[in-house]
Amino acid sequence: MSDLDQEYKDLANEVAIGSTADGELKSTEFFRIFSQISAENGDSPDLEYSPVLSDEGLGYRVDGYAIDIPEGTEDESGDLYVAVCKYFQDEDLPVINAKDIEQLVGKVERFFKFVINKRALDEMEESSPAYRLAILIHQYIHRIGRIRVIILTNAHLKTRKKTFSHRNIGGASLLTNVLDLERYVKISLTGSDPVEVDFKEDFEGAVQCLPASINASGYTSYLFAIPGAVLAEVFAIYGNRLLEQNVRTYLQAKTNVNKGILRTIADEPEMFFAYNNGLTATASSVNTEMLSNGILGIKHITDFQIVNGGQTTASMLYARDGQKKDLSSVFIQVKLSVVDKEKLDQVVPKISEYANTQNKVSLTDLAANSPAQMRIERISKEVTVPQKAGALHVEKWFYERARGQYKSIFSYKSPSERRKLEIEFPKNKLIEKTDLAKFELAFIGRPYHVCEGAQKCFNRYATSVIASIVNTDELNEAWFKKVVAKGMLFRALDKGIARSEWYRENRGLKAQTVAYTLAACANAFRNAILQIDLLRIWRDQDVPAFLLEWMLAQAKEIHIILNDPPGNVKNPSEFCKKEFCWTLHVKDVVRNPEKNLIEYGIPLIEYNQENYQGKRKGSAIRCWNLKFRLQSLFPVQLK
C-alpha cells in the first residue's frame, strides 16, 4: 500500500470519527476539514458551509462560499470564492482527471447563471442556503470581478495541467483551483503547498534579472523588474497563496486598496518603478537561462512567496480588473532571496519581519514561531493534567502552534508505539492555535469575531489579546488551564447542540450558536459579579452536567435569534459577523444564573486573584531559573 493510499484510509477514519462526534454527515465533516486547510494555505478565505444542490437538468452544486470585496471603492474588483466537494467513500483511493474537474466547475457556472436572474429568487425558499447565497451574490453582483472555484476532493488528481484555463461568466472571470488528497497531505504535514511559477511557459517568457549575490552559504539573491501585467496575472491565478502566511493573515483585516499606488498607475505608470518600494520575495530554487540579448533570465521559481509588497501585488490586479487600467508601462522592482529548502522555515519569517517593520502591528505576533506561541507550547508540555474520574490513564492536551506538529509525533512509529501515543494524546485533546483564539474571544464576549472564520479570528486574537500580554507574566500555567477549560466548555456545547432535537429539526449555524451561547452565558455570570469556575472544570477535566444543561437551554433560544436576522440583513451567517448582532440581540438574552448555578461560579475578585497569583508564580520560576544559571556560571553564593 502506498503512502497516499494509507492517507486516504486515515482521512476516511478521521471523517467518520468527526461526523459521529459532531452529529453531522460525513460530507459536512469532510468540508470542515478541507476548508480549514484551504484557508490556512491561502487557497481561499475562511469558507462558509452552504450546501446547495439541484438535480434538475444538468444540475448545479455549491458546498461553501466566501466573498472578498475591497473596502473604500465601488469598482468591479472583488472575489467570490465558491467551493464544490467531490467526496468519495470508495474502499480504494479514487482518481479524477481534468474532465471531472470541468464537470464540477460547470455545476458552479450553472448556479451562478441561474441566480443572477432575479426571477430565480422567487422560486427559492427564503430559509434555504441557496436563497441566502443568491441574495448575497445579488448584493455584490456589480463588485464581483472574479469567481474563484475551488474543488475539494479526497481523490487523487492526475493531470498534466498545472493551471486551468480562464473563462468569463456574467462579466466576471472564472478561475479554477483544486485541493485534492495529495495537496491536502502535503499541507497537513508541512503547513503549506509551494507555489511554482513558470514564467517561460505560462507568463510571456523568462524575466530578465541581475544576480546580486551568488554562491553564498545556502543563499542566493536576484534583482529584477517584473511587468505589472505579469504580476497581475500571477496573482489572479495563485491569489493569496503567493503571500507569505504572516503577511496574508495580516492583510486579511486590511483589504482596502492603496490609493497612492493606483494614482501612480493611472497618472504616471512609467514612473511606478521609481516611486514604489517594490517587492521582497523568497524562493527555494530558481531556474535561469541566457536570453537572446545576452542577459540572464529567470524562467521558473519554486516556493515563490511575497513577504513584503502584498498591497502592491493586490493593487496590480485591482487596477487591471477593477479600473481597467493599462499596465504595459508599469514595472515593479523585485528583490528575490533564494534560500535552501531546509532553511525556509527559519529564514522566511525573519525576512518577513524585517521587511515589514513599517507595519503598526508586528507580523511576528501572527507567526507560529513568535515568542508568545513558543511560550504557550512550552507551558502546554509542562503543565500536569489531572486524571479524569473513572479514567484508566491520564490523557494529555496537545497544543499545535504550527500545522503538522501533531501528525509528526506519530510519524515513523511502530503500530504499538502509535497506539500508545494515540492514547496519551487523543485527537479530541488537540488544540490548534486557531481553536485557542475561538475559545478566548467567545468567552470574553466577541462571538462576532469568532464567526468571521478561523484565520481572521486568530488574526484579531493575536494582534489584540496576545499582543497586549506577551511581555507580561500572564501567559502561565493558570492561564493555560483556564484556556483549556474554556475549550472544554466550547466543545461540550458543540457536541450537545449537535445531539439536540431542536437542532436536528433546523440544522445550520451550529458553530455560530456555540460561540454566541458561550459568550452570553459567561456574560450572565459576570453580570452576577461571578466568573465560571474554570479551574474546577480543569481539575475535573469535564464540564458539570447541570451547567451544560443550562447552557444548552440558552443555546436553543440563541439559535432561533441567529436564524431570524432583522429585516435589513438577509443572510444569517453575515448577521452573526456583525457586532450589533451581539450587542443588540444576544448579549443580554441570558438572564443571571439562578441559585442552583451559583456553585459553578466564583467571585470575580477571587478569579482576578488567581490570575495575579499565576503571574507571581511565573515570575518566581523565572527568577529561580535565572539564579540557577548564574550559580552554574559563577561559583559564588547568591542571595
Side-chain angles (χ1 to χ4, degrees):
M1 181 184 294
S2 70
D3 290 343
L4 204 57
D5 287 313
Q6 184 60 53
E7 291 288 351
Y8 175 75
K9 294 184 182 299
D10 290 346
L11 175 62
N13 186 52
E14 182 180 350
V15 169
I17 293 172
S19 64
T20 301
D22 294 341
E24 299 284 2
L25 298 173
K26 287 184 178 180
S27 57
T28 304
E29 181 66 14
F30 169 76
F31 175 86
R32 185 194 66 78
I33 294 170
F34 265 56
S35 63
Q36 181 180 0
I37 289 287
S38 173
E40 288 184 2
N41 192 55
D43 289 87
S44 69
D46 292 295
L47 293 165
E48 187 76 36
Y49 183 54
S50 181
V52 174
L53 180 64
S54 172
D55 293 324
E56 293 184 12
L58 294 174
Y60 56 73
R61 177 168 185 162
V62 170
D63 288 279
Y65 71 90
I67 194 157
D68 185 12
I69 302 293
E71 299 171 358
T73 175
E74 292 297 324
D75 294 317
E76 183 183 302
S77 56
D79 292 288
L80 172 65
Y81 291 82
V82 182
V84 180
C85 292
K86 187 63 175 177
Y87 176 63
F88 292 88
Q89 299 189 54
D90 302 359
E91 187 168 335
D92 297 321
L93 173 63
V95 173
I96 59 174
N97 55 34
K99 184 178 179 181
D100 298 318
I101 298 302
E102 288 299 322
Q103 290 175 348
L104 292 168
V105 173
K107 292 182 179 294
V108 175
E109 189 172 3
R110 284 189 289 276
F111 174 74
F112 191 81
K113 287 179 178 178
F114 173 63
V115 300
I116 58 177
N117 183 344
K118 290 187 177 181
R119 287 180 297 179
L121 296 177
D122 298 330
E123 302 176 19
M124 296 180 180
E125 171 60 45
E126 290 194 11
S127 62
S128 69
Y131 179 82
R132 293 169 177 174
L133 177 54
I135 284 291
L136 197 66
I137 290 174
H138 274 277
Q139 181 182 350
Y140 293 107
I141 189 66
H142 299 297
R143 306 287 313 283
I144 296 172
R146 289 166 298 278
I147 303 170
R148 296 186 181 273
V149 180
I150 177 165
I151 310 298
L152 308 177
T153 179
N154 60 336
H156 184 200
L157 174 64
K158 288 192 174 180
T159 176
R160 293 181 179 180
K161 291 185 177 181
K162 289 188 177 180
T163 60
F164 292 88
S165 57
H166 299 12
R167 67 182 78 170
N168 289 317
I169 170 175
S173 299
L174 188 148
L175 303 98
T176 304
N177 185 12
V178 181
L179 178 56
D180 72 331
L181 183 68
E182 186 175 29
R183 287 192 64 215
Y184 162 78
V185 171
K186 187 181 295 183
I187 299 167
S188 296
L189 293 176
T190 65
S192 65
D193 179 29
V195 171
E196 295 192 26
V197 179
D198 196 323
F199 289 113
K200 185 172 183 179
E201 293 294 326
D202 301 326
F203 300 101
E204 303 179 8
V207 179
Q208 296 183 17
C209 68
L210 174 67
S213 63
I214 301 293
N215 296 326
S217 179
Y219 173 80
T220 306
S221 62
Y222 298 88
L223 297 175
F224 60 93
I226 187 170
V230 172
L231 182 60
E233 183 62 11
V234 171
F235 191 61
I237 292 175
Y238 294 104
N240 285 338
R241 288 180 61 201
L242 278 177
L243 305 182
E244 195 268 333
Q245 189 176 33
N246 295 343
V247 178
R248 178 171 71 243
T249 307
Y250 176 72
L251 289 178
Q252 272 193 323
K254 297 182 65 178
T255 56
N256 54 299
V257 178
N258 191 311
K259 294 180 180 178
I261 292 176
L262 296 176
R263 189 162 50 247
T264 302
I265 293 173
D267 299 338
E268 299 179 274
E270 69 284 350
M271 296 301 295
F272 193 92
F273 187 91
Y275 295 163
N276 187 264
N277 289 331
L279 312 180
T280 301
T282 61
S284 63
S285 67
V286 298
N287 291 336
T288 60
E289 64 178 4
M290 196 60 67
L291 303 179
S292 58
N293 59 4
I295 298 176
L296 190 68
I298 294 177
K299 62 179 182 178
H300 186 276
I301 301 179
T302 302
D303 278 321
F304 189 42
Q305 285 193 311
I306 295 170
V307 300
N308 179 253
Q311 287 282 11
T312 297
T313 305
S315 295
M316 285 296 138
L317 184 58
Y318 174 80
R320 188 192 77 174
D321 292 353
Q323 297 189 328
K324 312 302 180 186
K325 297 297 183 184
D326 179 12
L327 301 180
S328 59
S329 299
V330 176
F331 290 85
I332 303 97
Q333 172 186 285
V334 182
K335 180 180 76 173
L336 178 67
S337 298
V338 184
V339 184
D340 288 347
K341 195 172 186 68
E342 59 272 15
K343 295 181 181 180
L344 277 177
D345 290 343
Q346 290 76 40
V347 176
V348 172
K350 290 182 179 179
I351 296 175
S352 175
E353 177 186 356
Y354 301 148
N356 286 280
T357 52
Q358 73 274 20
N359 288 332
K360 293 180 181 179
V361 178
S362 173
L363 295 179
T364 56
D365 291 336
L366 306 172
N369 58 351
S370 70
Q373 292 299 319
M374 298 286 282
R375 190 167 173 181
I376 294 170
E377 181 187 31
R378 186 174 67 250
I379 294 169
S380 72
K381 292 178 178 179
E382 294 173 349
V383 69
T384 301
V385 181
Q387 186 165 340
K388 185 178 177 179
L392 299 177
H393 48 78
V394 174
E395 295 179 344
K396 296 181 180 178
W397 292 88
F398 189 98
Y399 181 69
E400 186 178 63
R401 63 174 174 81
R403 170 64 67 180
Q405 283 184 314
Y406 181 75
K407 278 194 172 184
S408 69
I409 67 173
F410 302 105
S411 301
Y412 310 110
K413 299 293 191 300
S414 67
S416 61
E417 291 173 328
R418 189 183 178 98
R419 283 193 294 271
K420 288 179 181 177
L421 284 170
E422 287 173 344
I423 291 172
E424 185 177 8
F425 298 103
K427 186 68 180 289
N428 65 352
K429 283 187 165 48
L430 166 65
I431 298 179
E432 298 174 4
K433 63 179 184 178
T434 51
D435 292 334
L436 188 145
K438 289 190 293 185
F439 304 157
E440 285 271 75
L441 291 190
F443 195 85
I444 65 176
R446 291 165 61 180
Y448 44 93
H449 285 156
V450 176
C451 294
E452 290 180 321
Q455 299 303 308
K456 281 190 177 180
C457 175
F458 176 74
N459 174 30
R460 292 187 183 279
Y461 177 66
T463 56
S464 58
V465 179
I466 287 295
S468 66
I469 64 176
V470 66
N471 293 319
T472 74
D473 298 319
E474 292 180 40
L475 293 177
N476 51 53
E477 284 196 11
W479 172 87
F480 182 76
K481 291 174 181 178
K482 290 178 179 179
V483 166
V484 172
K486 294 169 187 175
M488 284 190 273
L489 281 167
F490 195 100
R491 290 175 174 176
L493 267 172
D494 189 90
K495 288 183 179 179
I497 290 171
R499 296 168 181 167
S500 300
E501 287 296 328
W502 55 264
Y503 177 73
R504 291 177 179 175
E505 293 173 0
N506 184 21
R507 291 179 178 274
L509 300 184
K510 178 163 68 73
Q512 293 89 334
T513 304
V514 171
Y516 271 88
T517 301
L518 180 57
C521 291
N523 182 66
F525 269 82
R526 287 192 289 269
N527 286 341
I529 321 300
L530 297 170
Q531 185 66 280
I532 295 175
D533 192 348
L534 297 172
L535 290 184
R536 173 179 174 172
I537 294 173
W538 167 263
R539 289 191 298 269
D540 295 342
Q541 286 295 291
D542 202 4
V543 177
F546 192 78
L547 176 63
L548 180 58
E549 184 181 334
W550 171 73
M551 296 178 81
L552 287 172
Q554 314 311 314
K556 181 179 180 180
E557 185 176 354
I558 291 171
H559 186 253
I560 294 172
I561 294 171
L562 298 182
N563 273 284
D564 187 26
N568 60 325
V569 183
K570 297 292 186 181
N571 191 305
S573 296
E574 296 303 308
F575 174 50
C576 294
K577 298 173 186 177
K578 307 298 183 183
E579 187 173 356
F580 71 80
C581 176
W582 166 246
T583 56
L584 299 181
H585 296 272
V586 180
K587 182 178 180 181
D588 297 319
V589 75
V590 179
R591 294 180 294 275
N592 291 358
E594 301 170 1
K595 288 184 179 180
N596 52 1
L597 285 166
I598 297 299
E599 66 171 291
Y600 302 114
I602 61 173
L604 274 175
I605 188 171
E606 186 178 333
Y607 179 86
N608 293 331
Q609 285 175 346
E610 287 176 352
N611 292 338
Y612 177 70
Q613 290 170 355
K615 286 193 289 184
R616 290 191 62 185
K617 181 179 178 181
S619 296
I621 290 172
R622 276 189 293 281
C623 287
W624 187 89
N625 287 338
L626 176 60
K627 180 177 178 179
F628 180 82
R629 288 197 297 272
L630 288 172
Q631 285 179 324
S632 65
L633 291 171
F634 305 104
V636 297
Q637 185 67 34
L638 294 173
K639 296 184 180 180

